[in-house]
Amino acid sequence: MLEKLKGLALRYEDLQAQLSDPAVYGDAGRLKKLNREMKELEPVAAGWRDWEAAERRRTEAEKLLHDPDFRELAQEELSAAKAELRRLEEQLRILLLPRDPDDNRSVVLELRGGVGGEEGALFAASLLRMYTMYAQSKGWKLDVVSLNETELGGVKECSVLVEGEGAYSRLKFESGVHRVQRVPETESGGRIHTSAATAAVLPAAEDVDIEINPKDLQIDTYRSSGAGGQHVNKTESAIRITHLPSGLVVECQDERSQYKNKDKAMRVLRSRLYDLALKKRDDAEAARRRNQVGSGDRSERIRTYNFPQGRVTDHRIGLTLYKIGAIMDGDLDELIDALAAADQAERLKGGAG
């Protein structure tokens, strides 16, 4: 492990030297690639420097043990240095875990109202608001691709693009069934209802990831309309794309421009096809999937939002937080940090890296 860390630290120094060369700034592609690699290696290089400093302290303390005047002080310093080395080695082990190659990608987030009819759709609308506020807090751009609403403002189904560095690394734990327990506004007797909504988080695919043959596509245009017929567009700007080999259908009616709607729909289609390709790959690596926190299966119940008790429970890691108001307002970092830490722990236990 230490040899690997030393090699990565040397690579970081090499990248620094390359970026100090003015010639690099004339090649935008190379500059972007070097900056991205340097940013990824920065925590490893910093951790290695800290480890080297702690190792020097340990060596110096061991030398002083032979001096009667400094033995007691050296013993304290040695214990502190050894503890620091253990802490840093654990931290560096985590940094050396194989990164998910999709972590830096943007996201296609799909939400659907589930069990509970109208109440499930209303909760899907609450989740859309929650993720919109979380994206805003991260400085990400959120763009609605398609939105199918109910008469009461619930979400039957929707697709949104969340664009921003690291969006997938944070949102990938959100796939699955989100269950809600609350008194619906439509309930006159004050009884608590249980309903659900489903989230699917797909890494956004680039053009180079998935090649689509235009002959495999059936593209239909139609007039867009919202719930109850509002927002009716008089021109046929809405787009429906059917990928004939897979049977996948994507619609987009958010923009007034047919071209923009087609562009958004193609991005979602690429991401769904990329997701299918990833699932085939992951099926071949079933043992690795079992070691992760949650399977990402959309049928897996991952979380319960209990409004009367003000709590949110994540069933995968047994974490309960009593701050449902803040969470529904997009304060998701505590939940996501805990899920990411549990995922790291599982992968370390599984011997990854």
Side-chain angles (χ1 to χ4, degrees), residues 285-305:
E285 300 176 22
R288 183 181 65 80
R289 293 287 289 174
R290 278 197 296 272
N291 283 336
Q292 292 181 358
V293 174
S295 62
D297 188 336
R298 290 164 210 177
S299 63
E300 180 189 12
R301 190 188 75 190
I302 62 166
R303 203 173 285 154
T304 294
Y305 303 74

Side-chain angles (χ1 to χ4, degrees), residues 76-89:
E76 286 177 19
E77 179 63 13
L78 182 61
S79 297
K82 283 181 175 178
E84 179 69 353
L85 284 167
R86 282 194 297 272
R87 185 189 69 79
L88 288 167
E89 283 170 13

Side-chain angles (χ1 to χ4, degrees), residues 252-285:
C252 183
Q253 58 176 13
D254 187 57
E255 302 282 353
R256 294 189 182 277
S257 155
Q258 191 181 105
Y259 173 78
K260 286 182 179 176
N261 280 330
K262 184 182 175 185
D263 184 54
K264 281 187 181 180
M266 284 300 292
R267 288 195 67 184
V268 172
L269 177 61
R270 263 195 202 91
S271 299
R272 286 190 186 170
L273 289 169
Y274 183 64
D275 186 53
L276 285 175
L278 290 182
K279 281 184 167 52
K280 284 181 184 174
R281 181 197 73 188
D282 289 339
D283 286 345
E285 300 176 22

Side-chain angles (χ1 to χ4, degrees), residues 10 53 70 89-90 163 167 173 223 256 322 331 347 351 353:
L10 288 171
F70 293 100
E89 283 170 13
E90 187 61 29
E163 296 180 278
F173 301 109
R223 291 181 186 177
R256 294 189 182 277
Y322 287 88
D331 183 5
R347 290 193 290 144

Side-chain angles (χ1 to χ4, degrees), residues 17 32 47 51 64 111 130 137 143 159 190 224 234 296 306 309 350-351:
K32 187 178 178 183
W51 185 90
L64 286 173
L111 297 170
M130 177 182 84
S137 75
D143 214 358
S159 289
S224 59
K234 291 185 172 65
N306 186 303
Q309 295 177 17

Side-chain angles (χ1 to χ4, degrees), residues 9-24:
L10 288 171
R11 173 61 182 163
Y12 181 79
E13 289 174 13
D14 178 49
L15 289 167
Q16 281 182 313
Q18 288 186 57
L19 284 166
S20 66
D21 181 358
V24 170

Side-chain angles (χ1 to χ4, degrees), residues 209-235:
D209 296 321
I210 296 290
E211 193 174 321
I212 298 175
N213 188 336
K215 292 177 182 176
D216 290 338
L217 301 178
Q218 177 183 313
I219 301 177
D220 302 303
T221 59
Y222 60 98
R223 291 181 186 177
S224 59
S225 63
Q230 75 261 36
H231 315 306
V232 175
N233 193 332
K234 291 185 172 65
T235 61

